[in-house]
Amino acid sequence: MTGHVLVAPDKFKGSLSAAEVAEAVVAGLRGRMPSAAVRATPVADGGDGTVRAALATGRFERSPVRVTGPTGRRVDAEIAVSDTTAVVELASASGLALLAPGEFDPLRASSHGTGELVAAALDAGVREIVLGVGGSACTDGGAGMLTALGARFTDIAGNPLSPGGGGLERIAGADLSGLDPRLWGVDLVLASDVDNPLCGSSGAAHVYGPQKGASSEQVRRLDGALERFAEILGRVTGESSADRPGAGAAGGVGYGAMTALSARFRSGSDVVLELVDFDRDLAGTALVVTGEGALDEQTLHGKVPAAVAARAAKAGVPTVAVAGKCSLSRQRLRDGGFAAVYALAHLQPDPARSIEGAAALLHRVGEHIADDFL
């Protein structure tokens, strides 16, 4: 085979990071074919792993930040900073993964820490901030984030609201005059592969609230609170973006960012692929290996493997995928641009064992890919 192999996977959620997936596959490829030219480029979709993907390029520096976690406890987070761009990952400050199952607090969890990360990015003096959203613990419409950046939300008596989406039930006023003026000098990019609106049956509370611990009654309350928030904030800004794609991302952080901070919504996968210079890496590539934990219909709607396959196809490079499991038919895989898929479930059908032994299984998958394509 002429050319190198480009290994560009997303994480296997709950098992391995994107870098660990890439490392295991590369080891398998080289174990079978020591002379193979292989390059690893871990990627992400705007959710957890986005900062790591930026840092892996070598063009960004890690900047640690101590911030307020989703339930008020201080947590250690980080941003990635270059001369012109900062990459901020909501999951590291306001993510569900920061909480144990018994700590889920759907009515009070806040995005405040994400605002503190954005403030740290402003302190770095960059011209562009990529705000990767995904995996949030909160459903507060971004009110916490905006409060950390200087906004003020009050009840009918003029008192500040309590944190979280539940507090928005009492919102009567919004004052954005205190927002950090440096925000207007940066290009804020909302990177997400969630295109849900803010409210309604396909909105933030109904679709994602249950996985954050919300009961059916709490989902109803949160959806109503977000509607109220959008009504009040819409009056102040003159913007009506609650129905825009991405407004429901990260419990409505997408809405808050677009409405109050003029953020531009873009596909998280595309943003990250540009950050890591994926198209440049495609030059001289003979085969691309991508993947994620589960290949399903959601994969084909803009998630990392589909975005990778589309760019590779445009360059005339075949793509194969690795996954923990795959529920797509052969025709749907072809439609998605995948020449082949290697699912760990075929090697280890027990899900628990597959997750525990994912690295070793991916090493074997790398060997199979070498046998089949190199």
Side-chain angles (χ1 to χ4, degrees):
M1 182 183 70
T2 303
H4 65 264
V5 180
L6 178 58
V7 182
D10 197 355
K11 63 188 173 296
F12 276 33
K13 192 171 184 178
S15 179
L16 299 175
S17 68
E20 290 169 334
V21 173
E23 180 182 5
V25 173
V26 168
L29 289 166
R30 287 181 171 153
R32 186 72 89 209
M33 191 74 65
S35 63
V38 184
R39 176 180 297 168
T41 303
V43 291
D45 62 1
D48 51 314
T50 297
V51 164
R52 287 187 182 182
L55 292 174
T57 68
R59 300 192 312 277
F60 288 81
E61 295 291 331
R62 177 182 179 271
S63 179
V65 189
R66 184 84 169 159
V67 299
T68 306
T71 56
R73 184 178 66 247
R74 300 293 283 178
V75 298
D76 292 315
E78 62 185 5
I79 61 175
V81 181
S82 72
D83 291 340
T84 60
T85 302
V87 181
V88 172
E89 187 178 302
L90 173 146
S92 70
S94 311
L96 198 63
L98 296 172
L99 304 177
E103 294 181 304
F104 291 4
D105 197 348
L107 293 178
R108 288 188 289 269
S110 169
S111 59
H112 194 278
T114 298
E116 293 173 326
L117 289 181
V118 173
L122 292 172
D123 291 342
V126 296
R127 297 194 297 272
E128 178 186 50
I129 298 175
V130 173
L131 174 57
V133 296
S136 71
C138 54
T139 309
D140 71 348
M145 173 187 69
L146 297 175
T147 299
L149 291 168
R152 189 167 183 267
F153 302 105
T154 54
D155 62 19
I156 196 168
N159 299 313
L161 301 179
S162 57
L168 296 178
E169 291 179 304
R170 297 168 43 244
I171 188 170
D175 181 0
L176 304 182
S177 63
L179 281 172
D180 192 321
R182 296 176 297 174
L183 287 162
W184 316 126
V186 299
D187 180 20
L188 181 61
V189 179
L190 178 69
S192 174
D193 285 330
V194 170
D195 58 6
N196 301 70
L198 180 64
C199 304
S201 60
S202 58
H206 280 281
V207 175
Y208 301 104
Q211 70 190 43
K212 303 174 187 183
S215 66
S216 56
E217 173 60 18
Q218 289 173 326
V219 165
R220 184 193 64 78
R221 288 179 59 188
L222 287 168
D223 190 57
L226 291 174
E227 285 187 11
R228 178 65 178 161
F229 181 55
E231 178 186 350
I232 297 297
L233 196 56
R235 288 180 196 166
V236 172
T237 63
E239 292 282 338
S240 179
S241 56
D243 292 330
R244 287 173 58 184
V253 167
Y255 169 76
M258 290 190 291
T259 301
L261 306 180
S262 301
R264 294 188 296 118
F265 173 68
R266 292 194 59 206
S267 159
S269 297
D270 284 338
V271 169
V272 174
L273 290 176
E274 290 170 13
L275 280 175
V276 303
D277 277 339
F278 179 79
D279 290 345
R280 180 203 63 188
D281 287 348
L282 271 176
T285 296
L287 178 70
V288 171
V289 182
T290 187
E292 62 180 352
L295 285 180
D296 51 29
E297 281 297 327
Q298 286 289 332
T299 302
L300 303 183
H301 293 280
K303 296 189 77 175
V304 165
V308 166
R311 288 177 179 245
K314 189 175 181 180
V317 180
T319 298
V320 299
V322 298
K325 59 183 179 180
C326 177
S327 60
L328 293 170
S329 67
R330 289 184 180 180
Q331 183 58 53
R332 293 298 286 151
L333 289 169
R334 285 192 291 269
D335 292 343
F338 302 107
V341 171
Y342 297 81
L344 304 191
H346 294 158
L347 300 176
Q348 173 51 263
D350 182 277
R353 291 184 177 180
S354 180
I355 290 171
E356 183 180 357
L361 292 171
L362 283 166
H363 187 286
R364 291 172 58 188
V365 162
E367 294 176 336
H368 293 324
I369 293 173
D371 291 339
D372 294 342
F373 286 90
L374 303 188

